[in-house]
Amino acid sequence: MCGLVSSAARSLPSAGSQRLVGRFPSGPGPNSRPAAMQTAVVRCVPTETKLTISLRLGPGNGSQRHLQREQSESLRTALGRIAHNLLKAQAKPGKGQKAAQAPAQASAPPVVLYLGEEPVPGDTSNAEAWQDGAVLQVGEARYRVERNPPTLTQLRLPSSLLAGFPVCPKVELEFGEASHSLFEWLREADGGWEAAASSRVFTPSNSYIGLKLKLRCHPGDGRRFGAAVELESGGTVEAGPGACTFDSRQWFTRQGLEEPQLRVVSYNILADVYAQTEFSRSNLYPYCPPYALEIDYRQNLIKKELSGYNADIICLQEVDKNVFTNSLSPALDAFGFQGVFRIKEKQHEGLATFFRASKYRLLSQHDVTFSEALASDPLHFEVLEKISANPTVKEKVLQRSTAFQVCVLQSLKDSSKKLCVGNTHLYWHPKGGHIRLVQIAIAFRHLQRVTTEVYPGIPVIFCGDFNSTPNSGLYEFVTKGHISADHPDWTSNGEEEQCSMSLTHSFKLKSACGEPAYTNYVGGFQGCLDYIFIDINMFEVFQVIPFPSHEEIICHLALPSVSHPSDHIALICDLKCK
Ligand code: 4LC
């Protein structure tokens, strides 16, 4: 994603290749006001010592000034600075103007701030003086003061636009909400621009192929609107891939669910940091065209896929930090989700959990890193003691940066209903079964604590890429509640790396989507590694969303492909709370 930034009141870093069209002048629309009166925008927040007064000063249309003054300074001093600035501006030639003859005896124009009919006393502090609705008089010119109006601090468009795929701008505001802002989408037409849509998310149809888009955003707070910003796309809308693997699945997810039902998605979305390595391009995914491995392309598919599932809870693995911040979080926000992110230390990807904000609120988070928990939490002392018998194993487990994300959600409809959602991505090595067993042992002890000590009896949903097939010791442990010390997986990397222990847990869990033939389908490996484990005492499964057909997957040899953004397949299930 690339983009730019524009703001009336502050200068902001501007990145990317898109062209700033500029602040949209007050005209027709929510921003209109009497032409005679200009605007002075005042930004004044208690956490800062200064305030900023932004206004156009000088001959002609003037030029935009941002005066930074101490909040505690007297209004008299600030008004004196404005008069001084105006004199300076008058001495200089304005844009497109001849140099003004310097007035022989330049004298400061009268500068007064009115609140109602009365001038504000000069000894008032700036913080107090510059109230919303005050009027600043500078010579002949009058400015309406707008204090802390809704302001766009960031507006970005993705760099790849595909017909048939939703375009979700990244919108960041101060003193406003994206949901209270207005959006206007425009399309290139006969050398000009033509209105196309007025929703926050816009999906260009095939008739937009080859055209650029423009977005105009009026930031709002539900009460008023601030200065609009216009943004032109860097490139044009391109043709989409046609049918995608998730299109047919979305026939089953058109309807969102109502409590006590909920839809859960677990999906390893393939981190950009892995997809774009030379090794991945040449060895792991040689069948996938390079453009389809690019994150900007894949993001289009991922956003359409995730939004079309109408889920309540989405657990993602291999989420790049940038992808979370600049792409997924803004997009899913527009579709009604709130999300939390947990990065893996030393790596640039991690876990993300999203939940439908109209149904749940985040009550608390209990994230851990397996290595840290093992090394320092007395809860895991027994496990630490056992693996200390084999320094190689201990070293390996402690070196991993594998994280476990745990969110406790509370139903907004019935505050007594809570839910513990776990999300993880275990060690990947085919011979790492023993390492994964140690990781899952820590996960369960941690979950046991959250669901007994912190929130006694709350139901558990445990999603993730467990890198374990249904015949693994890990799957047996999770679904049966125990694994013996002589299970072959304790020696999955040979006798010298053995670390045997018996494990138990007291949850009653099953894989909600069963044991599909594969959830990961790459050229060199196909297998079931991902699961949504649910508490069988608390939930019943009433719909498992069918997987794409085998033909759909192998028509591009394997995953990822132009019609599927990841090497994994999303697991989706509809549950009912018992
Ligand atoms: C990757 C991989 C791992 C699941 N799996 C098996 N072999 C694999 C080889 C590679 C996954 C594999 O794509 N990654 C290394 O780090 C990442 C990425 C993270 O998930 C990466 C870094 C740089 C470049 C590319 C990728 C595998 C094959 N059979 C299995 C059986 C079980 C578990 C795993 C495997 C079981 N039970």
Side-chain angles (χ1 to χ4, degrees), residues 219-302:
D221 62 4
R223 214 165 46 83
R224 58 179 173 159
F225 290 96
V229 169
E230 253 183 34
L231 178 61
E232 196 177 308
S233 64
T236 61
V237 175
E238 294 178 70
C244 285
T245 54
F246 46 82
D247 292 335
S248 54
R249 306 188 83 189
Q250 294 186 342
W251 286 104
F252 299 86
T253 61
R254 300 205 148 237
Q255 300 277 333
L257 302 181
E258 295 285 336
E259 276 179 280
Q261 300 181 348
L262 74 157
R263 181 169 296 142
V264 182
V265 173
S266 181
Y267 195 9
N268 178 329
I269 59 170
L270 176 56
D272 185 43
V273 286
Y274 305 146
Q276 301 235 44
T277 63
E278 188 45 43
F279 180 74
S280 295
R281 272 193 294 262
S282 319
N283 302 80
L284 282 180
Y285 322 120
Y287 43 84
C288 184
Y291 78 87
L293 283 175
E294 276 175 34
I295 191 65
D296 290 319
Y297 179 87
R298 293 197 296 119
Q299 282 306 301
N300 273 303
L301 275 65
I302 292 168

Coordinates of all heavy atoms in Angstrom, one line a residue, residues 219-302:
P219 N -13.7 14.3 6.7 CA -13.6 13.7 8.0 C -14.7 14.2 8.9 O -15.0 15.4 8.9 CB -12.2 14.1 8.5 CG -12.0 15.4 7.8 CD -12.6 15.2 6.4
G220 N -15.4 13.3 9.6 CA -16.5 13.7 10.5 C -16.4 13.1 11.9 O -15.7 12.1 12.1
D221 N -17.1 13.7 12.8 CA -17.2 13.1 14.2 C -18.6 12.8 14.6 O -18.9 12.5 15.8 CB -16.5 14.1 15.2 CG -17.2 15.4 15.3 OD1 -18.3 15.6 14.6 OD2 -16.7 16.3 16.0
G222 N -19.5 12.9 13.6 CA -20.9 12.6 13.9 C -21.7 13.9 14.1 O -22.9 13.9 14.1
R223 N -21.0 15.0 14.3 CA -21.6 16.3 14.5 C -21.2 17.3 13.5 O -22.0 18.1 13.0 CB -21.1 16.8 15.9 CG -22.0 17.6 16.7 CD -21.5 17.7 18.2 NE -20.0 18.0 18.3 CZ -19.5 19.2 18.2 NH1 -20.3 20.3 18.1 NH2 -18.2 19.4 18.3
R224 N -20.0 17.3 13.1 CA -19.5 18.2 12.1 C -18.4 17.6 11.2 O -18.0 16.5 11.5 CB -18.9 19.5 12.8 CG -17.8 19.1 13.7 CD -17.2 20.4 14.4 NE -16.3 20.0 15.4 CZ -15.3 20.8 15.9 NH1 -15.2 22.0 15.4 NH2 -14.5 20.4 16.8
F225 N -18.0 18.3 10.2 CA -17.0 17.8 9.2 C -15.9 18.8 9.2 O -16.0 20.0 9.2 CB -17.6 17.7 7.8 CG -18.6 16.5 7.7 CD1 -20.0 16.8 7.9 CD2 -18.2 15.2 7.6 CE1 -20.9 15.8 7.8 CE2 -19.1 14.2 7.5 CZ -20.5 14.5 7.6
G226 N -14.7 18.2 9.0 CA -13.5 19.0 8.9 C -13.1 19.1 7.4 O -13.8 18.7 6.5
A227 N -11.9 19.6 7.2 CA -11.4 19.8 5.8 C -11.3 18.5 5.0 O -10.7 17.5 5.5 CB -10.0 20.5 5.8
A228 N -11.9 18.5 3.8 CA -11.8 17.3 3.0 C -10.5 17.2 2.4 O -9.7 18.1 2.2 CB -12.9 17.4 1.9
V229 N -10.1 15.9 2.1 CA -8.8 15.6 1.4 C -9.2 14.8 0.2 O -10.0 13.9 0.2 CB -7.9 14.9 2.3 CG1 -6.7 14.3 1.6 CG2 -7.4 15.8 3.5
E230 N -8.5 15.1 -0.9 CA -8.6 14.3 -2.2 C -7.4 13.5 -2.5 O -6.3 14.0 -2.3 CB -8.9 15.3 -3.3 CG -10.3 15.3 -3.8 CD -10.5 16.2 -5.0 OE1 -9.6 16.3 -5.8 OE2 -11.6 16.7 -5.1
L231 N -7.6 12.3 -3.0 CA -6.4 11.5 -3.2 C -6.7 10.7 -4.5 O -7.8 10.2 -4.7 CB -6.4 10.5 -2.0 CG -5.3 9.4 -2.0 CD1 -4.0 10.0 -2.0 CD2 -5.5 8.6 -0.7
E232 N -5.6 10.7 -5.4 CA -5.8 10.0 -6.6 C -5.0 8.7 -6.6 O -3.9 8.7 -6.0 CB -5.2 10.9 -7.7 CG -5.6 10.5 -9.1 CD -5.1 11.5 -10.2 OE1 -5.3 12.7 -10.0 OE2 -4.4 11.1 -11.1
S233 N -5.5 7.7 -7.2 CA -4.8 6.4 -7.1 C -3.5 6.5 -7.9 O -3.5 7.2 -8.9 CB -5.7 5.3 -7.7 OG -6.0 5.5 -9.0
G234 N -2.5 5.7 -7.5 CA -1.3 5.7 -8.2 C -1.4 5.1 -9.6 O -0.9 5.6 -10.6
G235 N -2.1 4.0 -9.7 CA -2.3 3.3 -10.9 C -3.8 3.2 -11.3 O -4.6 3.8 -10.6
T236 N -4.0 2.4 -12.3 CA -5.4 2.3 -12.8 C -5.9 0.9 -12.3 O -5.2 0.1 -11.8 CB -5.4 2.2 -14.4 OG1 -4.6 1.1 -14.8 CG2 -4.9 3.5 -14.9
V237 N -7.3 0.8 -12.4 CA -7.9 -0.5 -12.1 C -7.5 -1.5 -13.1 O -7.5 -1.3 -14.3 CB -9.5 -0.3 -12.0 CG1 -10.1 -1.7 -11.8 CG2 -9.9 0.7 -11.0
E238 N -7.1 -2.7 -12.6 CA -6.7 -3.8 -13.5 C -7.7 -4.9 -13.5 O -8.5 -5.0 -12.5 CB -5.3 -4.3 -13.1 CG -4.2 -3.3 -13.3 CD -2.9 -3.8 -12.8 OE1 -2.3 -4.7 -13.5 OE2 -2.4 -3.4 -11.7
A239 N -7.6 -5.7 -14.5 CA -8.6 -6.9 -14.6 C -8.3 -7.8 -13.4 O -7.1 -8.0 -13.0 CB -8.4 -7.6 -15.9
G240 N -9.3 -8.4 -12.8 CA -9.1 -9.3 -11.7 C -8.9 -10.7 -12.3 O -8.8 -10.9 -13.5
P241 N -8.7 -11.7 -11.4 CA -8.3 -13.1 -11.8 C -9.5 -13.9 -12.3 O -9.3 -15.1 -12.7 CB -7.7 -13.7 -10.6 CG -8.3 -13.0 -9.5 CD -8.6 -11.6 -9.9
G242 N -10.7 -13.3 -12.3 CA -11.9 -14.2 -12.6 C -12.2 -14.9 -11.3 O -12.0 -14.4 -10.2
A243 N -12.8 -16.2 -11.4 CA -13.2 -16.9 -10.3 C -12.1 -17.2 -9.3 O -11.0 -17.5 -9.7 CB -13.9 -18.2 -10.7
C244 N -12.4 -17.1 -8.0 CA -11.4 -17.4 -7.0 C -11.9 -18.6 -6.2 O -13.1 -18.9 -6.2 CB -11.2 -16.2 -6.0 SG -10.2 -14.9 -6.8
T245 N -11.0 -19.2 -5.5 CA -11.3 -20.5 -4.8 C -12.4 -20.2 -3.7 O -13.1 -21.1 -3.3 CB -10.1 -21.0 -4.1 OG1 -9.5 -20.0 -3.3 CG2 -9.1 -21.5 -5.1
F246 N -12.5 -18.9 -3.2 CA -13.4 -18.7 -2.1 C -14.8 -18.3 -2.6 O -15.7 -18.2 -1.9 CB -12.9 -17.6 -1.2 CG -12.3 -16.4 -1.9 CD1 -13.1 -15.4 -2.4 CD2 -10.9 -16.3 -2.1 CE1 -12.6 -14.3 -3.0 CE2 -10.4 -15.2 -2.8 CZ -11.2 -14.2 -3.2
D247 N -14.9 -18.0 -4.0 CA -16.2 -17.6 -4.5 C -17.3 -18.6 -4.1 O -18.4 -18.2 -3.6 CB -16.2 -17.4 -6.0 CG -15.3 -16.2 -6.4 OD1 -15.1 -15.3 -5.6 OD2 -14.8 -16.2 -7.5
S248 N -17.1 -19.9 -4.4 CA -18.2 -20.8 -4.1 C -18.4 -21.0 -2.6 O -19.5 -21.3 -2.2 CB -17.8 -22.2 -4.8 OG -16.5 -22.6 -4.4
R249 N -17.3 -20.9 -1.8 CA -17.5 -21.0 -0.4 C -18.4 -19.9 0.2 O -19.1 -20.1 1.2 CB -16.1 -20.9 0.3 CG -15.1 -21.9 -0.2 CD -13.8 -21.9 0.7 NE -14.0 -22.7 1.8 CZ -13.1 -22.8 2.8 NH1 -12.1 -22.0 2.8 NH2 -13.3 -23.6 3.8
Q250 N -18.3 -18.8 -0.5 CA -19.1 -17.6 0.0 C -20.6 -17.7 -0.2 O -21.4 -17.0 0.4 CB -18.5 -16.3 -0.5 CG -17.1 -16.2 0.1 CD -16.4 -14.8 -0.2 OE1 -16.8 -14.1 -1.1 NE2 -15.3 -14.5 0.6
W251 N -21.0 -18.7 -1.0 CA -22.5 -19.0 -1.1 C -23.0 -19.5 0.3 O -24.1 -19.3 0.6 CB -22.7 -20.1 -2.1 CG -22.6 -19.6 -3.5 CD1 -21.6 -19.8 -4.4 CD2 -23.5 -18.8 -4.2 NE1 -21.8 -19.2 -5.6 CE2 -23.0 -18.5 -5.5 CE3 -24.8 -18.2 -3.9 CZ2 -23.7 -17.7 -6.4 CZ3 -25.4 -17.4 -4.8 CH2 -24.9 -17.2 -6.1
F252 N -22.1 -20.1 1.1 CA -22.5 -20.6 2.4 C -22.4 -19.6 3.5 O -22.7 -19.9 4.6 CB -21.7 -21.8 2.7 CG -21.8 -23.0 1.7 CD1 -21.0 -23.0 0.6 CD2 -22.7 -24.0 2.0 CE1 -21.1 -24.1 -0.3 CE2 -22.9 -25.0 1.1 CZ -22.1 -25.0 -0.1
T253 N -21.8 -18.4 3.2 CA -21.6 -17.4 4.3 C -22.2 -16.1 4.0 O -21.8 -15.1 4.5 CB -20.0 -17.3 4.5 OG1 -19.4 -16.8 3.3 CG2 -19.4 -18.6 4.9
R254 N -23.2 -16.1 3.1 CA -23.8 -14.8 2.7 C -24.4 -14.1 3.9 O -24.4 -12.9 4.1 CB -24.9 -15.0 1.6 CG -24.3 -15.6 0.4 CD -25.1 -15.3 -0.8 NE -24.2 -15.2 -1.9 CZ -24.1 -14.2 -2.7 NH1 -24.9 -13.1 -2.6 NH2 -23.2 -14.2 -3.7
Q255 N -25.0 -14.9 4.8 CA -25.7 -14.4 5.9 C -24.7 -14.4 7.1 O -24.0 -15.4 7.4 CB -26.9 -15.3 6.3 CG -27.9 -15.5 5.3 CD -28.9 -14.3 5.4 OE1 -29.1 -13.7 6.4 NE2 -29.5 -14.0 4.2
G256 N -24.7 -13.3 7.8 CA -24.0 -13.3 9.1 C -24.9 -14.0 10.1 O -26.1 -14.2 9.8
L257 N -24.3 -14.4 11.2 CA -25.1 -15.2 12.2 C -25.6 -14.3 13.4 O -25.0 -13.3 13.6 CB -24.3 -16.4 12.7 CG -23.8 -17.3 11.6 CD1 -23.0 -18.5 12.3 CD2 -24.9 -17.9 10.8
E258 N -26.6 -14.8 14.1 CA -27.1 -14.1 15.3 C -26.7 -15.0 16.5 O -26.8 -16.2 16.4 CB -28.6 -14.0 15.2 CG -29.1 -13.1 14.0 CD -28.9 -11.6 14.3 OE1 -28.8 -11.3 15.5 OE2 -28.8 -10.8 13.3
E259 N -26.5 -14.3 17.6 CA -26.3 -15.1 18.8 C -27.5 -16.0 19.1 O -28.6 -15.5 18.8 CB -26.0 -14.1 20.0 CG -24.6 -13.7 20.1 CD -24.3 -12.7 21.2 OE1 -24.6 -11.5 21.0 OE2 -23.8 -13.2 22.2
P260 N -27.4 -17.2 19.6 CA -26.1 -17.8 20.2 C -25.2 -18.5 19.1 O -24.4 -19.3 19.5 CB -26.7 -18.8 21.1 CG -28.0 -19.2 20.5 CD -28.5 -18.1 19.7
Q261 N -25.4 -18.1 17.8 CA -24.5 -18.8 16.8 C -23.4 -17.8 16.6 O -23.5 -16.6 16.7 CB -25.3 -19.0 15.6 CG -26.5 -20.0 15.8 CD -27.3 -20.3 14.5 OE1 -27.1 -19.6 13.5 NE2 -28.1 -21.3 14.6
L262 N -22.3 -18.4 16.1 CA -21.2 -17.6 15.7 C -20.3 -18.3 14.7 O -20.3 -19.5 14.6 CB -20.3 -17.1 16.9 CG -19.4 -18.2 17.6 CD1 -18.3 -17.5 18.3 CD2 -20.2 -19.0 18.6
R263 N -19.7 -17.5 13.8 CA -18.9 -18.1 12.7 C -17.4 -17.8 13.0 O -17.1 -16.6 13.3 CB -19.3 -17.5 11.4 CG -18.5 -18.1 10.2 CD -19.1 -17.7 8.9 NE -20.4 -18.2 8.7 CZ -21.4 -17.6 8.1 NH1 -21.2 -16.4 7.6 NH2 -22.6 -18.2 8.0
V264 N -16.6 -18.8 12.9 CA -15.2 -18.7 13.3 C -14.4 -19.0 12.0 O -14.6 -20.0 11.3 CB -14.8 -19.6 14.4 CG1 -13.3 -19.4 14.8 CG2 -15.7 -19.4 15.7
V265 N -13.3 -18.2 11.8 CA -12.4 -18.5 10.7 C -11.0 -18.6 11.2 O -10.6 -17.8 12.1 CB -12.5 -17.3 9.6 CG1 -11.4 -17.5 8.6 CG2 -13.8 -17.2 9.0
S266 N -10.2 -19.6 10.8 CA -8.8 -19.6 11.1 C -8.1 -19.8 9.7 O -8.4 -20.6 8.9 CB -8.5 -20.8 12.0 OG -7.1 -20.9 12.3
Y267 N -7.0 -19.0 9.6 CA -6.4 -18.9 8.3 C -4.9 -18.4 8.4 O -4.7 -17.4 8.9 CB -7.2 -17.9 7.4 CG -7.0 -17.8 5.9 CD1 -6.3 -18.8 5.3 CD2 -7.6 -16.8 5.2 CE1 -6.1 -18.8 3.9 CE2 -7.4 -16.8 3.8 CZ -6.7 -17.7 3.2 OH -6.6 -17.7 1.8
N268 N -4.1 -19.3 7.8 CA -2.7 -18.8 7.7 C -2.6 -18.1 6.3 O -2.7 -18.8 5.3 CB -1.7 -20.1 7.7 CG -0.3 -19.7 7.5 OD1 0.0 -18.8 6.8 ND2 0.6 -20.5 8.1
I269 N -2.4 -16.8 6.3 CA -2.5 -16.0 5.1 C -1.2 -15.9 4.3 O -1.1 -15.3 3.3 CB -3.1 -14.6 5.3 CG1 -2.2 -13.8 6.3 CG2 -4.5 -14.7 5.8 CD1 -2.6 -12.3 6.4
L270 N -0.1 -16.6 4.7 CA 1.2 -16.6 4.1 C 1.8 -15.2 4.1 O 1.5 -14.3 3.4 CB 1.1 -17.1 2.6 CG 2.4 -17.0 1.8 CD1 3.5 -17.8 2.4 CD2 2.2 -17.6 0.4
A271 N 2.8 -15.1 5.0 CA 3.5 -13.8 5.3 C 4.2 -13.4 4.0 O 4.8 -14.2 3.3 CB 4.4 -13.9 6.4
D272 N 4.2 -12.1 3.8 CA 5.0 -11.5 2.7 C 6.5 -11.8 2.9 O 7.2 -12.1 1.9 CB 4.7 -10.0 2.6 CG 5.4 -9.4 1.4 OD1 5.4 -10.0 0.3 OD2 6.0 -8.3 1.6
V273 N 6.9 -11.7 4.1 CA 8.3 -12.0 4.4 C 8.8 -13.4 3.9 O 10.0 -13.6 3.7 CB 8.7 -11.8 5.9 CG1 8.8 -10.3 6.2 CG2 7.8 -12.5 6.8
Y274 N 7.8 -14.3 3.8 CA 8.2 -15.6 3.3 C 7.9 -15.8 1.8 O 8.6 -16.4 1.1 CB 7.4 -16.7 4.1 CG 7.6 -16.7 5.6 CD1 6.6 -17.0 6.5 CD2 8.9 -16.3 6.1 CE1 6.8 -16.9 7.9 CE2 9.1 -16.2 7.5 CZ 8.0 -16.5 8.3 OH 8.2 -16.4 9.7
A275 N 6.8 -15.2 1.4 CA 6.3 -15.4 0.0 C 7.3 -14.8 -1.0 O 7.4 -15.4 -2.1 CB 4.9 -14.8 -0.2
Q276 N 7.9 -13.7 -0.6 CA 8.8 -13.0 -1.6 C 10.3 -13.3 -1.5 O 11.1 -12.6 -2.1 CB 8.5 -11.5 -1.5 CG 7.1 -11.2 -1.7 CD 6.9 -10.1 -2.8 OE1 7.5 -10.2 -3.9 NE2 6.1 -9.2 -2.5
T277 N 10.6 -14.4 -0.8 CA 12.0 -14.8 -0.8 C 12.4 -15.5 -2.1 O 11.5 -16.1 -2.7 CB 12.4 -15.7 0.4 OG1 11.7 -16.9 0.2 CG2 12.0 -15.1 1.7
E278 N 13.7 -15.5 -2.4 CA 14.1 -16.2 -3.7 C 13.8 -17.7 -3.5 O 13.4 -18.3 -4.5 CB 15.6 -15.9 -3.9 CG 16.2 -16.4 -5.2 CD 15.3 -16.1 -6.4 OE1 14.8 -15.0 -6.5 OE2 15.1 -17.0 -7.2
F279 N 14.0 -18.2 -2.3 CA 13.7 -19.6 -2.1 C 12.3 -20.0 -2.3 O 12.0 -21.0 -2.9 CB 14.1 -20.0 -0.6 CG 13.9 -21.4 -0.3 CD1 14.8 -22.4 -0.8 CD2 12.9 -21.8 0.5 CE1 14.6 -23.8 -0.5 CE2 12.7 -23.2 0.8 CZ 13.5 -24.1 0.3
S280 N 11.4 -19.1 -1.8 CA 10.0 -19.4 -2.0 C 9.6 -19.3 -3.5 O 8.9 -20.2 -4.0 CB 9.1 -18.4 -1.3 OG 9.3 -18.6 0.1
R281 N 10.1 -18.2 -4.2 CA 9.8 -18.1 -5.6 C 10.3 -19.3 -6.4 O 9.6 -19.8 -7.3 CB 10.3 -16.8 -6.2 CG 9.4 -15.6 -6.0 CD 9.9 -14.4 -6.8 NE 11.2 -13.9 -6.3 CZ 11.3 -12.9 -5.5 NH1 10.2 -12.2 -5.1 NH2 12.5 -12.5 -5.1
S282 N 11.5 -19.7 -6.2 CA 12.1 -20.8 -7.0 C 11.8 -22.2 -6.6 O 11.8 -23.1 -7.4 CB 13.6 -20.6 -7.1 OG 13.9 -19.2 -7.2
N283 N 11.7 -22.4 -5.2 CA 11.6 -23.7 -4.7 C 10.3 -24.1 -4.1 O 9.8 -25.2 -4.4 CB 12.7 -24.0 -3.7 CG 14.1 -23.7 -4.3 OD1 14.5 -22.6 -4.4 ND2 14.8 -24.8 -4.6
L284 N 9.8 -23.2 -3.3 CA 8.5 -23.6 -2.6 C 7.3 -23.4 -3.5 O 6.4 -24.3 -3.6 CB 8.3 -22.8 -1.4 CG 9.1 -23.1 -0.1 CD1 8.7 -22.1 1.0 CD2 8.8 -24.5 0.3
Y285 N 7.2 -22.3 -4.3 CA 6.0 -22.0 -5.1 C 6.4 -21.7 -6.5 O 6.0 -20.7 -7.1 CB 5.3 -20.8 -4.5 CG 5.2 -20.8 -3.0 CD1 5.7 -19.7 -2.3 CD2 4.6 -21.8 -2.3 CE1 5.6 -19.6 -0.9 CE2 4.5 -21.7 -0.9 CZ 5.1 -20.7 -0.2 OH 5.0 -20.6 1.2
P286 N 7.2 -22.5 -7.2 CA 7.7 -22.2 -8.6 C 6.5 -22.1 -9.6 O 6.6 -21.5 -10.6 CB 8.6 -23.3 -8.9 CG 8.2 -24.5 -8.0 CD 7.7 -23.9 -6.8
Y287 N 5.4 -22.8 -9.2 CA 4.2 -22.8 -10.1 C 3.4 -21.6 -10.0 O 2.5 -21.4 -10.8 CB 3.3 -24.0 -9.7 CG 3.2 -24.1 -8.2 CD1 2.2 -23.4 -7.5 CD2 4.0 -25.0 -7.4 CE1 2.1 -23.4 -6.1 CE2 3.9 -25.0 -6.1 CZ 3.0 -24.3 -5.4 OH 2.9 -24.3 -4.0
C288 N 3.7 -20.7 -9.1 CA 2.9 -19.5 -8.9 C 3.5 -18.3 -9.6 O 4.7 -18.0 -9.3 CB 2.7 -19.2 -7.4 SG 1.6 -17.8 -7.1
P289 N 2.8 -17.6 -10.5 CA 3.5 -16.4 -11.2 C 3.9 -15.4 -10.2 O 3.1 -15.1 -9.2 CB 2.4 -15.9 -12.1 CG 1.1 -16.5 -11.7 CD 1.4 -17.8 -11.0
P290 N 5.0 -14.8 -10.3 CA 5.6 -13.8 -9.4 C 4.6 -12.7 -9.0 O 4.5 -12.3 -7.8 CB 6.8 -13.3 -10.0 CG 7.3 -14.3 -11.0 CD 6.0 -15.0 -11.4
Y291 N 3.8 -12.2 -9.9 CA 2.9 -11.1 -9.6 C 1.9 -11.6 -8.5 O 1.4 -10.8 -7.7 CB 2.3 -10.5 -10.8 CG 1.1 -11.3 -11.4 CD1 -0.2 -11.1 -10.9 CD2 1.3 -12.2 -12.4 CE1 -1.3 -11.8 -11.5 CE2 0.2 -13.0 -13.0 CZ -1.0 -12.8 -12.5 OH -2.1 -13.5 -13.0
A292 N 1.5 -12.9 -8.6 CA 0.5 -13.4 -7.7 C 1.1 -13.6 -6.3 O 0.4 -13.9 -5.4 CB -0.2 -14.6 -8.2
L293 N 2.4 -13.6 -6.2 CA 3.0 -13.7 -4.9 C 3.2 -12.3 -4.2 O 3.6 -12.3 -3.0 CB 4.4 -14.4 -5.0 CG 4.4 -15.9 -5.2 CD1 5.8 -16.4 -5.4 CD2 3.8 -16.6 -4.0
E294 N 3.0 -11.3 -5.0 CA 3.2 -10.0 -4.4 C 2.1 -9.6 -3.4 O 1.0 -9.9 -3.7 CB 3.3 -8.9 -5.5 CG 4.7 -8.8 -6.1 CD 4.7 -7.9 -7.3 OE1 4.0 -6.9 -7.3 OE2 5.5 -8.2 -8.2
I295 N 2.5 -9.0 -2.4 CA 1.6 -8.7 -1.3 C 0.4 -7.9 -1.7 O -0.7 -8.1 -1.3 CB 2.3 -8.2 0.0 CG1 1.4 -8.2 1.2 CG2 2.9 -6.8 -0.2 CD1 0.9 -9.6 1.6
D296 N 0.7 -6.9 -2.6 CA -0.4 -6.0 -3.0 C -1.5 -6.7 -3.8 O -2.7 -6.5 -3.6 CB 0.1 -4.8 -3.9 CG 1.0 -3.9 -3.1 OD1 0.5 -3.6 -1.9 OD2 2.0 -3.4 -3.6
Y297 N -1.1 -7.7 -4.6 CA -2.0 -8.5 -5.3 C -2.8 -9.4 -4.3 O -4.0 -9.5 -4.3 CB -1.3 -9.4 -6.3 CG -2.2 -10.3 -7.1 CD1 -2.9 -9.9 -8.2 CD2 -2.5 -11.6 -6.7 CE1 -3.8 -10.7 -8.9 CE2 -3.3 -12.4 -7.3 CZ -4.0 -12.0 -8.5 OH -4.9 -12.8 -9.1
R298 N -2.0 -10.1 -3.4 CA -2.6 -11.0 -2.5 C -3.6 -10.3 -1.5 O -4.6 -10.9 -1.1 CB -1.6 -11.8 -1.8 CG -0.8 -12.8 -2.7 CD 0.0 -13.8 -1.9 NE 1.0 -13.3 -1.1 CZ 1.1 -13.4 0.3 NH1 0.1 -14.1 0.9 NH2 2.0 -12.9 1.0
Q299 N -3.2 -9.1 -1.2 CA -4.1 -8.4 -0.3 C -5.5 -8.2 -0.8 O -6.5 -8.2 -0.1 CB -3.5 -7.0 0.1 CG -2.4 -7.1 1.1 CD -2.8 -7.7 2.3 OE1 -3.7 -7.4 3.0 NE2 -2.1 -8.8 2.6
N300 N -5.6 -7.9 -2.1 CA -6.9 -7.8 -2.8 C -7.7 -9.0 -2.5 O -8.9 -9.0 -2.2 CB -6.7 -7.6 -4.3 CG -6.5 -6.1 -4.6 OD1 -7.3 -5.3 -4.3 ND2 -5.4 -5.8 -5.3
L301 N -7.1 -10.2 -2.7 CA -7.8 -11.5 -2.6 C -8.2 -11.7 -1.1 O -9.3 -12.1 -0.8 CB -7.0 -12.6 -3.1 CG -7.2 -12.9 -4.7 CD1 -6.6 -11.7 -5.5 CD2 -6.5 -14.2 -5.1
I302 N -7.2 -11.5 -0.2 CA -7.4 -11.8 1.2 C -8.6 -10.9 1.8 O -9.4 -11.4 2.5 CB -6.1 -11.5 2.0 CG1 -5.1 -12.6 1.6 CG2 -6.4 -11.6 3.5 CD1 -3.7 -12.3 2.1

